[in-house]
Amino acid sequence: MIDLHAHSTRSDGRLTPTELVDRAAEAGVTTLALTDHDTVDGLTEARRAVDAQGIAFINGVEISVTWQGRTLHMVGLAFDAQDSRPTDGLATLQQARLSRAARIATKVEKLGVANALARVQAIAGNGQITRPHFARLLIEDGICRDNAQAFKRHLRPGRDAHVSIEWAPLEAAIGWIADAGGISVLAHPHGYRLTGAWRRRMVTAFADAGGDAIEICTGATDAQQEAVSTAHAREYDLLASVGSDFHAP
Ligand code: AMP
Ligand code: MN
Ligand code: MN
Ligand code: MN
């Protein structure tokens, strides 16, 4: 059982890398990639845990990309995590996350959240600060009922606590992973609220920029979406990937 997309506390996942590996092994996963948002910081701990469990491990990362003014996610797999080309690139995204966090904090404070930046930094600890961390504050302070409502009302584009920033260009993200010997995967192609025509444009741009693979099957896809992505993979000669996009039990 192969899972090439999963998160830990190094970004917006709820389990530490060790807890994630242990849970995956318990669930019967035999090959796992840890793919935290814009960081490779959890890979060393995950690899140690994987060795103890006797399952196979693949280096991973989920890179935030800006394409045509939209945010896309690209999973990088099986690259050299010591290579400075991906790590230098990711450092610029980590800096962008930090300055975005300060701006989102100001906005959620206007909604009644107290001391937002310090609290979100405390929750994120040694992980990247993500929008789901701000969702947790909105829930804790009784402003929202749950994560879905926090995104719907406040955190998604066009809402009052959204801050749009420029992530990595698509070609750059593909280049970082290729330079470090890895494979770039267009993540959850059905996760972007795109029309069919725009989804095709996205897949075309990804393939033209040198992308290697497309995620066919995630925890959120249905059979029809998997059929569409399979057809795209065949048409554009892309490899197929599979991953749960696990965030929390
Ligand atoms: P960020 O990269 O910090 O902007 O946060 C993106 C993460 O927020 C995604 O990886 C998802 O885990 C989560 N997310 C994005 N949109 C939604 C949504 N509409 N509802 C719930 N979670 C979401
Ligand atoms: Mn996430
Ligand atoms: Mn994603
Ligand atoms: Mn993900």
Side-chain angles (χ1 to χ4, degrees), residues 181-201:
I183 288 175
S184 51
V185 185
L186 180 61
H188 43 63
H190 290 274
Y192 303 114
R193 298 166 151 262
L194 297 175
T195 62
W198 269 99
R199 191 173 313 110
R200 174 176 284 284
R201 251 172 250 155

Side-chain angles (χ1 to χ4, degrees), residues 21-22 24-26 28-32 47 49-57:
V21 167
D22 292 350
E26 215 168 274
V29 172
T30 54
T31 299
L32 176 70
R47 192 173 282 284
V50 151
D51 288 344
Q53 287 284 0
I55 65 177
F57 185 67

